[in-house]
Amino acid sequence: MPIFREAKAIVIHKCAHVRHAVSAQNMGVDAVTLVGMEEGGHPGSNQLPTFLNGAYALDQLHIPLALGGGIGHGRQIAAALALGADAVVMGSVFTPALETPAHDAYKQRIVATDAHGTRAVLGSLGDTWRVVDNENARKVAALEAAGARSHAEFGALISGERTQALAYQAGQHEEGMLSMGPAVGFARAVEPVADIVRRLQTECMQASGRFRAMLAST
């Protein structure tokens, strides 16, 4: 932290446990990102869902908090802000964006994936990874169920280079570990980032308007 401060850097620390967020706050970070079990990629070992995690954290934090994990709709942004969070972290819903540097076949596979199309693997190694439930992920799950307990035992199946080459570049979407959360179900088309953002803004404002109307009627 002293080195970061000397460089006038803004430090945002990502964590999965409230106690880690509090520790980061005590160390002097500027903000924290707190993710729940729904997060695509590596959500950590915490089994609490995003909004429950956030509700506990807000009792103990006085620095800005961004919530992440399973958020892909504007009404969820409104809910996070109503909860007391300052921002949200979103990834899966932007994956098939036109600007994303990945093969179109991979993007189309993402658009076709619904809320139940992901799975968490490698939890027994203390390295939980939530990915698209493709053939590759099912092979990894089978090895884990059979007792594999080291990264080496999974070999090329969990290689980032293999995922990059086969899935992202060649479009072989049944290969590789494709980090993804259940919010992928909100990814409806291969479309420009600007269109995704506008839709999220509209959804958020509609949800916020309903909440304001409820408050006004009390």
Side-chain angles (χ1 to χ4, degrees):
M1 286 303 298
I3 295 174
F4 289 142
R5 286 288 168 251
E6 186 177 348
K8 301 187 184 305
I10 295 174
V11 182
I12 304 174
H13 180 67
K14 175 191 170 184
C15 46
H17 291 267
V18 174
R19 66 178 185 275
H20 296 161
V22 173
S23 294
Q25 175 179 261
N26 293 339
M27 289 178 65
V29 302
D30 297 287
V32 291
T33 293
L34 187 64
V35 299
M37 60 180 290
E38 306 97 322
E39 187 201 30
H42 296 279
S45 60
N46 192 357
Q47 292 301 303
L48 292 183
T50 299
F51 280 79
L52 185 58
N53 225 12
Y56 279 120
L58 284 160
D59 283 337
Q60 303 178 60
L61 297 177
H62 55 74
I63 57 176
L65 168 67
L67 283 180
I71 299 176
H73 195 285
R75 67 170 63 98
Q76 293 172 289
I77 300 175
L81 298 177
L83 185 71
D86 299 280
V88 297
V89 177
M90 308 172 75
S92 297
V93 73
F94 286 100
T95 303
L98 195 63
E99 296 87 345
T100 300
H103 198 283
D104 186 64
Y106 162 73
K107 295 182 184 181
Q108 295 296 341
R109 172 66 164 85
I110 299 308
V111 169
T113 302
D114 65 16
H116 302 286
T118 69
R119 69 157 64 215
V121 295
L122 304 185
S124 61
L125 278 67
D127 188 23
T128 302
W129 197 345
R130 183 171 290 280
V131 296
V132 171
D133 189 12
N134 62 2
E135 291 181 11
N136 191 89
R138 289 190 285 274
K139 290 178 182 178
V140 170
L143 284 173
E144 188 174 15
R149 290 296 180 269
S150 72
H151 290 85
E153 292 177 82
F154 295 94
L157 289 175
I158 60 173
S159 165
E161 292 180 358
R162 184 170 181 272
T163 298
Q164 177 69 24
L166 296 182
Y168 301 151
Q169 294 182 6
Q172 298 177 36
H173 48 71
E174 295 306 307
E175 300 292 342
M177 298 288 278
L178 311 181
S179 295
M180 201 68 57
V184 66
F186 293 118
R188 302 163 183 169
V190 177
E191 57 185 339
V193 166
D195 289 354
I196 300 172
V197 171
R198 276 194 291 269
R199 181 172 68 249
L200 290 167
Q201 288 175 326
T202 299
E203 293 166 348
C204 180
M205 293 309 297
Q206 289 174 342
S208 298
R210 179 174 182 271
F211 190 66
R212 289 194 298 270
M214 290 172 64
L215 290 175
S217 66
T218 59

